[in-house]
Amino acid sequence: MPDPTPPAVTATPTVAGPELVQLLTPEGERLEHPDYAIDLTDDELFALYRDLVMVRRIDTEGFALTRQGELSLWASLQGQEAAQVGAGRALKPGDYAFPTYREHGVAYCKGVDPVTLLGLWRGVSQGGWDPHAGEFHLYTIVIGSQTLHATGFAMGIQRDGGDGACMAFFGDGASSQGDVNEAFVWASVFNAPMVFFCQNNQWAISEPLERQTRIPLYQRAQGFGFPGVRVDGNDVLAVLAVTRAALERAREGSGPTLIEAFTYRMGPHTTSDDPTRYRLSADVEAWKLKDPIERMKVYLARSGKADHDFFDQVEKEADDLAAHIRAGCLALEDPTPLSIFDNVYAEGSSLLDEERELMSSYLAGFAEGSHR
Amino acid sequence: MATVTLAKALNEGLRKTMENDPKVLVMGEDVGALGGVFRVTDGLQKDFGEDRVIDTPLAESGIIGTAVGLAIRGFRPVCEIQFDGFVFPAFDQIVSQVAKMHYRSGGHVKLPITIRIPYGGGIGAVEHHSESPESYFCHTPGLKVVTCSNPADAYWMIQQTVANDDPVVFFEPKRRYWDKADVEMTGTAPMPLWKARVARPGNDLTLIAYGPMVKVALDAAAAAAEEGKSIEVIDLRALSPIDWPVVEDSVRRTGRAVVVAEAPSYASLTSEVAARLQEKLFYSLEAPVLRVTGYNTPFPPSRVEEDYLPDLDRVLDAVDRSLEA
Ligand SMILES: Cc1ncc(C[n+]2csc(CCOP(=O)(O)OP(=O)(O)O)c2C)c(N)n1
Ligand SMILES: [Mg+2]
């Protein structure tokens, strides 16, 4: 029998080139790219750095709160801050995002209070935020489903004369799901204003990228009839530039783009996972050298744009954000038993009215001491 | 005899079927190096190789669809669906293809596929990780459905399931994965796969449960015994088809039945049990058949799951209502 193990497709890009859009090297050196120029003011650069630090802090807090038993689970985005901030900051009002369960950084950029995200992880809600308020849909845990929702939303934009675009987030693992491939077909044939933003963090729980694909993921787009581009997912400038261009293309009616943000999941899949069972710590160490925050810091410092005061100030703001998250988490109230019947239907249901009544008198029985 | 958890018992059972039959394959997400998120397939890839223990691409429809092809080719795939809520991308393959192939082929094509699904709540998980979808599969002609409630059954039933020539959905009570018991692992299976088991004998009322709720039913029977009530507990084990003689004999004797399950009650397996008992035993019943189930809502956030899931108090409440009727 032939060797069923596909060849490695991960080894390819580490440096800028036709395969990988990069504007800031891991060493903090600024590059130019013929197709993706970006010209940011110092304040805009500072803001991006600040975002990266805040988003990492949200993640560290989420992780810590889980370890302390305040959350039941957390999906860490560590290592993917630049991918999420670059994508999140490219979105304009009017653009809508459909996340997975790991897009805490995109949520932050869309103005969603991190405390809002914690309800799901604490087990007091199943999201519960108003997606329309932040143009940021609920987290979707069923892998790949949201790519179709996003595509439908984009088809809606086409049909009601909106001028925004829609962005679907998904992972390298998700790229194997039927739903994702169907979303590619739909978006393509309807020329929907879509950006498919794939964070290739090299892992789907324990499965490496090679288990999902034999070609670089961005090249899949070609077969569906739209462009694909691979960007250094740890380079916030490149991600911002590439995503802005894709969104612009979508808004002006030129159809979908697949962006593969090449990055790495530095932490476990979730707090329940034990990555030592399936990957080498040497790989993680190698990716530490490509840290998305460090390279921005080096760039800002070396170019003389920012000094110690600035970095200290950002740290302080991150401390404040952490305190806000912690206090907000502890203040999240447990749902009442009867609340499980709320919001199952928009128009209610006689079956649930009856069950609510039954539960209510059952619980009242405890209060009266008629139950043991 | 070995003291093992339910998860380990499944692991040992799978190992044995793989040793006994080279056509048995294990396939699913993260079943290889990781050993599955619950470690049910721990060590199998190391010992049987990547051809027989297959980490699949992330696509449930693909897992079941390719299992169909492998089965047509003569293999016995044991497919793992990582969590209950993730079986639905494969629902079309299971319902339209797996369930009907033998019928459509006039008996020429057998699909000895095992679909393992960890199910049920009680572990404080996020959404889609606590569901009880067994009724959908029980409702589908052409599928068989079983579930284990304890390590010994886990060890033997998984082997019997894999050996079965029909497609079987094998539900694993995930909140019981860590329960331990002494399991006799030599000899032959102590009972046929399709038999229900009287888990505790009694005379006044029959509690009918399966999977994760068997322990709750046994605890309720023990508590009721302290008040002088003699409750019989039946562990269904096979959910489709149900071993009706064992269930009916019990209820004919006790005249009272309470059916317990985590799944919502509406149009469900518990409806089926209640309807059947009423049809067959109307003149033996001393009280209406009662049900204690999850409510007819989506599985709620984990901080209220204890209020959603049937527990000792709710079962005893139903027992009292039945006995007082
Ligand atoms: C349909 C479905 N199958 C399985 C799972 C379990 N699961 C959760 S995350 C995950 C891996 C996802 O990998 P990827 O798409 O690369 O995203 P990442 O977690 O790396 O961000 C799996 C298998 C799920 N949530 N949904
Ligand atoms: Mg991934």
Side-chain angles (χ1 to χ4, degrees):
Chain A
M1 185 174 161
D3 177 10
T5 313
V9 289
T10 34
T12 6
T14 43
V15 291
E19 274 264 82
L20 185 78
V21 179
Q22 193 179 68
L23 297 178
L24 195 59
T25 68
E27 294 73 35
E29 194 190 326
R30 187 74 170 78
L31 304 179
E32 294 303 328
H33 189 282
D35 300 326
Y36 297 101
I38 194 159
D39 192 16
L40 298 174
T41 66
D42 285 359
D43 280 346
E44 287 170 325
L45 289 170
F46 297 157
L48 285 175
Y49 176 79
R50 188 179 160 279
D51 286 343
L52 292 171
V53 173
M54 297 300 150
V55 164
R56 176 161 297 176
R57 190 59 76 89
I58 293 169
D59 193 63
T60 328
E61 272 316 297
F63 215 95
L65 284 164
T66 310
R67 288 285 178 252
Q68 292 154 14
E70 296 298 341
L71 302 178
S72 60
L73 189 76
W74 182 253
S76 168
L77 57 68
Q78 204 197 322
Q80 301 175 220
E81 295 87 353
Q84 297 199 11
V85 168
R89 286 301 175 204
L91 291 161
K92 290 184 183 166
D95 296 335
Y96 215 98
F98 284 75
T100 71
Y101 39 82
R102 209 184 286 286
E103 268 70 71
H104 325 310
V106 183
Y108 176 80
C109 294
K110 273 295 205 177
V112 179
D113 183 338
V115 175
T116 311
L117 306 174
L118 299 187
L120 177 72
W121 306 105
R122 190 169 167 87
V124 304
S125 77
Q126 288 177 338
W129 62 82
D130 175 7
H132 293 307
E135 299 179 308
F136 183 78
H137 188 68
L138 298 176
Y139 277 177
T140 298
I141 289 178
V142 183
I143 300 296
S145 292
Q146 74 283 0
T147 56
L148 281 168
H149 311 157
T151 302
F153 190 94
M155 290 168 65
I157 295 175
Q158 262 177 329
R159 280 158 180 74
D160 66 14
D163 50 14
C166 190
M167 184 137 76
F169 290 85
F170 61 104
D172 44 292
S175 71
S176 296
Q177 282 285 9
D179 278 6
V180 173
N181 289 273
E182 289 173 23
F184 289 171
V185 171
W186 252 250
S188 176
V189 303
F190 293 110
N191 207 40
M194 267 302 297
V195 176
F196 292 103
F197 194 92
C198 178
Q199 284 167 86
N200 174 0
N201 63 7
Q202 315 300 330
W203 293 95
I205 309 188
S206 73
E207 298 191 356
L209 181 65
E210 298 86 71
R211 187 47 38 147
Q212 319 295 340
T213 186
R214 278 191 183 227
I215 59 163
L217 285 174
Y218 77 95
Q219 289 179 10
R220 292 247 180 111
Q222 196 191 355
F224 289 92
F226 54 91
V229 52
R230 183 183 256 176
V231 61
D232 182 342
N234 289 15
D235 170 356
V236 70
L237 302 183
V239 176
L240 181 63
V242 165
T243 315
R244 271 184 180 170
L247 283 166
E248 206 39 55
R249 211 182 98 82
R251 289 190 205 100
E252 74 189 25
S254 302
T257 303
L258 169 62
I259 296 172
E260 177 190 358
F262 202 81
T263 180
Y264 198 81
R265 193 195 78 208
M266 296 300 286
H269 170 68
T270 65
T271 41
S272 301
D273 181 35
D274 173 11
T276 61
R277 291 181 70 101
Y278 56 80
R279 73 180 186 187
L280 301 171
S281 54
D283 291 352
V284 182
E285 291 305 315
W287 274 91
K288 269 192 191 149
L289 303 176
K290 302 179 202 171
D291 185 72
I293 302 186
E294 218 28 56
R295 72 174 79 177
M296 264 301 265
K297 191 171 184 177
V298 169
Y299 169 59
L300 292 178
R302 278 226 201 102
S303 59
K305 292 178 192 293
D307 56 13
H308 273 301
D309 285 351
F310 168 73
F311 295 121
D312 290 349
Q313 173 60 27
V314 173
E315 275 317 305
K316 224 189 101 343
E317 276 179 57
D319 291 344
D320 293 345
L321 178 65
H324 164 75
I325 292 172
R326 178 156 291 268
C329 175
L330 300 182
L332 287 173
E333 282 180 24
D334 280 356
T336 63
L338 287 169
S339 72
I340 69 174
F341 299 104
D342 297 346
N343 298 312
V344 179
Y345 299 99
E347 305 211 6
S349 134
S350 53
L351 173 66
L352 291 195
D353 292 346
E354 188 188 313
E355 288 198 344
R356 186 188 288 109
E357 226 15 76
L358 280 174
M359 187 199 255
S360 180
S361 51
Y362 174 75
L363 293 174
F366 279 97
E368 290 158 14
S370 69
H371 294 290
R372 40 206 108 212
Chain B
M1 193 78 92
T3 310
V4 289
T5 61
L6 193 151
K8 182 66 178 164
L10 288 167
N11 178 264
E12 292 293 338
L14 283 171
R15 172 177 295 279
K16 201 146 163 226
T17 64
M18 297 194 76
E19 279 165 5
N20 292 343
D21 184 349
K23 292 292 188 188
V24 173
L25 307 177
V26 164
M27 51 199 287
E29 294 156 10
D30 306 291
V31 297
L34 187 64
V37 293
F38 293 107
R39 309 293 184 260
V40 170
T41 57
D42 193 20
L44 297 181
Q45 188 177 64
K46 192 170 133 277
D47 295 340
F48 296 99
E50 292 187 21
D51 281 353
R52 291 190 64 196
V53 180
I54 306 169
D55 262 337
T56 66
L58 206 178
E60 288 75 10
S61 182
I63 294 171
I64 303 299
T66 56
V68 168
L70 284 158
I72 294 171
R73 182 71 189 179
F75 288 90
R76 282 183 184 272
V78 180
C79 302
E80 173 171 309
I81 298 294
Q82 201 162 77
F83 281 91
D84 34 63
F86 306 140
V87 68
F88 301 108
F91 202 56
D92 169 57
Q93 286 290 344
I94 297 173
V95 171
S96 300
Q97 304 300 332
V98 173
K100 294 175 181 156
M101 197 69 81
H102 192 256
Y103 192 66
R104 290 169 55 227
S105 72
H108 289 292
V109 179
K110 294 187 178 65
L111 294 184
I113 299 173
T114 299
I115 302 173
R116 296 181 35 238
I117 309 180
Y119 78 125
I123 65 161
V126 294
E127 55 176 356
H128 310 293
H129 291 73
S130 302
E131 299 174 7
S132 295
E134 62 273 16
S135 299
Y136 296 116
F137 302 97
C138 293
H139 187 69
T140 303
L143 295 178
K144 290 177 176 173
V145 183
V146 301
T147 184
C148 54
S149 67
N150 60 74
D153 275 356
Y155 177 72
W156 290 107
M157 287 174 73
I158 190 65
Q159 295 179 59
Q160 292 169 304
T161 297
V162 178
N164 198 275
D165 271 348
D166 286 308
V168 182
V169 186
F170 188 98
F171 280 102
E172 301 173 0
K174 73 168 86 78
R175 69 203 283 194
R176 307 287 176 225
Y177 270 142
W178 302 274
D179 287 6
K180 274 192 179 162
D182 291 337
V183 178
E184 178 56 64
M185 294 194 176
T186 53
T188 52
M191 62 194 292
L193 182 57
W194 307 106
K195 280 230 102 32
R197 182 174 63 99
V198 177
R200 177 189 173 111
N203 303 315
D204 299 338
L205 180 147
T206 306
L207 271 178
I208 301 162
Y210 56 88
M213 283 291 117
V214 172
K215 181 172 186 303
V216 174
L218 286 170
D219 290 350
E226 285 174 18
E227 296 174 1
K229 298 163 191 163
S230 167
I231 310 291
E232 181 146 306
V233 176
I234 291 188
D235 178 356
L236 288 180
R237 296 167 20 102
L239 306 184
S240 178
I242 286 176
D243 179 13
W244 291 119
V246 166
V247 179
E248 289 170 11
D249 286 353
S250 172
V251 178
R252 192 175 291 114
R253 242 182 330 100
T254 63
R256 298 169 201 274
V258 175
V259 196
V260 187
E262 290 189 17
S265 61
Y266 201 81
S268 69
L269 189 71
T270 57
S271 321
E272 179 61 29
V273 174
R276 168 84 180 206
L277 293 177
Q278 183 274 141
E279 278 168 11
K280 297 285 177 181
L281 300 177
F282 186 75
Y283 296 105
S284 306
L285 288 174
E286 308 276 350
V289 178
L290 298 181
R291 293 184 287 160
V292 186
T293 67
Y295 294 98
N296 289 290
T297 69
F299 198 89
S302 62
R303 291 236 175 181
V304 271
E305 70 178 337
E306 296 306 330
D307 291 289
Y308 172 91
L309 293 166
D311 62 3
L312 185 73
D313 288 323
R314 275 175 70 199
V315 174
L316 288 174
D317 177 64
V319 166
D320 288 349
R321 280 188 284 126
S322 175
L323 290 173
E324 283 155 19

